[in-house]
Amino acid sequence: MPDHPTNAEALHEAIEARLRLADQRYTSGRRRLVSFLVAADHPVSISEIEAALPTLPRSTAYRNLVDLQGAGVVRRVAAGDEFVRFELTEELTEHHHHLLCLHCGRVLDVASDPLFETAIADMAETLAARFAFTARDHRLDILGRCAQCSSDPDSAGAP
Amino acid sequence: MPDHPTNAEALHEAIEARLRLADQRYTSGRRRLVSFLVAADHPVSISEIEAALPTLPRSTAYRNLVDLQGAGVVRRVAAGDEFVRFELTEELTEHHHHLLCLHCGRVLDVASDPLFETAIADMAETLAARFAFTARDHRLDILGRCAQCSSDPDSAGAP
DNA sequence: CTACTTGCAAATGCTTTGCAGGAGA
DNA sequence: TCTCCTGCAAAGCATTTGCAAGTAG
């Protein structure tokens, strides 16, 4: 029984509510942008957004992403060591980790599971304690080679 | 018995060797830059480098960092969601993770330990398998609040 | 000597911003 | 109708590059 929105309608309502709290509106442009983020099962780059929503000017996309971040709807993802990407915050989706393909730059979402999460949180706590650091969250990225790049050695470039 | 260089001299020799392999020279400027990375116990940003090595022009610093990356001496670190930072590769230091202060942006290195590493590697393997992804490495970032920012609520800004 | 490096300045390219018109509530 | 949003064009900035001089080997 997660406290996450469980269907598309509830999700959009939750997003609209968050925007309202920030005195912002859930316009059709923003809705298209968010819908794209929802449909993608991975963090998306600006160029993916541009390709998917050709009628949404870049400057508007950037500005919307800033606003959506401010409202706690979207967060930046520092992917490989390359491009900035965006995804819905975990309050709207679920906690997950990322698989980063070192070959093509693809980023995949992978759900963790409660056992792993407990173990990771414990480790994080232990490591943080050494520096009197207060752990609030963690991020686990797995670097390697995706299925496509394993079977097709010639593919290259970020998706 | 790590296969990492264990003292400063051996470290610089290892670095010089790597540069040679890439037909590059370990000039005094590069040595100063590397020494700064070694002395820092955390990933450093361009502005930190600039402050520490005022006589090293930015363009040269950038170019050196690119070359050092190519030689496997340095790697980029996508820290919080903010600035690019650089650190020595783990072949020259040791595997470690990062504590990211959400308040001031500070990034601290924290060594892991074999038990944790085994556990994390197993998890990574399990999660990767779900996508036929070949895990090669992992990255664990712990997000929270550093000791300084916990005691002094007013501090702000990246170091 | 020959090839790699450096420093300056100019160019790039992503991201942000100013402003006037348009849209949401 | 008041406030927020959008689009275009211009501005900002971190990073990269061209080129001529410097330097390591």
Side-chain angles (χ1 to χ4, degrees):
Chain A
M1 49 232 85
D3 56 348
H4 309 290
T6 49
N7 60 57
E9 195 186 334
L11 179 64
H12 285 289
E13 277 172 19
I15 290 166
E16 184 158 20
R18 285 181 174 239
L19 285 169
R20 269 196 215 295
L21 280 179
D23 282 312
Q24 302 197 326
R25 294 161 189 169
Y26 200 20
T27 61
S28 68
R30 291 177 179 184
R31 197 174 288 262
R32 282 194 296 146
L33 177 50
V34 166
S35 294
F36 177 58
L37 293 178
V38 173
D41 55 348
H42 62 264
V44 302
S45 62
I46 289 286
S47 56
E48 284 177 274
I49 292 171
E50 203 177 8
L53 290 73
T55 62
L56 188 72
R58 272 189 205 203
S59 62
T60 298
Y62 276 114
R63 240 184 308 222
N64 283 342
L65 288 166
V66 169
D67 295 339
L68 290 166
Q69 283 178 82
V73 173
V74 160
R75 72 167 180 184
R76 296 177 105 85
V77 173
D81 296 320
E82 325 230 3
F83 301 104
V84 180
R85 291 160 189 267
F86 300 87
E87 66 180 11
L88 293 185
T89 57
E90 294 192 335
E91 286 99 69
L92 295 168
T93 55
E94 292 216 300
H95 182 61
H96 63 276
H97 299 298
H98 291 138
L99 302 176
L100 310 180
C101 180
L102 297 170
H103 190 245
C104 70
R106 211 180 306 255
V107 180
L108 305 173
D109 287 355
V110 56
S112 188
D113 63 53
L115 255 53
F116 284 0
E117 285 313 307
T118 303
I120 295 176
D122 285 352
M123 287 182 210
E125 198 52 62
T126 301
L127 299 177
R130 296 184 193 162
F131 290 80
F133 189 97
T134 308
R136 189 180 301 289
D137 196 7
H138 65 260
R139 207 158 62 189
L140 176 64
D141 297 328
I142 299 167
L143 317 175
R145 190 172 256 258
C146 72
Q148 284 78 2
C149 288
S150 293
S151 57
D152 169 13
D154 299 325
S155 67
Chain B
M1 50 222 89
D3 55 349
H4 309 290
T6 51
N7 61 56
E9 195 185 334
L11 180 63
H12 285 289
E13 277 171 20
I15 290 166
E16 184 159 21
R18 284 180 176 241
L19 284 169
R20 270 197 216 295
L21 280 180
D23 283 310
Q24 302 196 326
R25 294 163 189 169
Y26 200 20
T27 62
S28 67
R30 289 176 181 184
R31 197 173 288 262
R32 283 193 297 145
L33 177 50
V34 166
S35 295
F36 177 58
L37 293 179
V38 173
D41 56 347
H42 61 266
V44 301
S45 62
I46 288 285
S47 56
E48 285 177 274
I49 292 171
E50 203 176 8
L53 292 73
T55 61
L56 189 72
R58 272 190 206 194
S59 62
T60 298
Y62 275 115
R63 241 184 307 222
N64 282 343
L65 288 166
V66 169
D67 294 339
L68 289 165
Q69 284 177 81
V73 173
V74 160
R75 73 167 180 183
R76 295 177 105 87
V77 174
D81 298 320
E82 326 230 1
F83 301 104
V84 180
R85 290 159 190 267
F86 299 88
E87 66 180 11
L88 293 185
T89 57
E90 295 191 334
E91 287 99 69
L92 295 168
T93 56
E94 294 216 298
H95 182 61
H96 63 275
H97 299 297
H98 292 138
L99 302 177
L100 310 180
C101 181
L102 297 170
H103 189 245
C104 70
R106 210 181 308 255
V107 181
L108 305 173
D109 288 355
V110 56
S112 189
D113 62 54
L115 256 53
F116 284 180
E117 286 313 309
T118 304
I120 295 175
D122 285 352
M123 287 182 209
E125 197 54 61
T126 302
L127 298 178
R130 295 183 193 162
F131 290 80
F133 188 97
T134 308
R136 188 180 304 287
D137 195 6
H138 66 260
R139 205 158 63 188
L140 176 65
D141 297 329
I142 299 167
L143 316 175
R145 189 172 256 255
C146 71
Q148 284 79 0
C149 288
S150 293
S151 57
D152 169 12
D154 299 326
S155 67

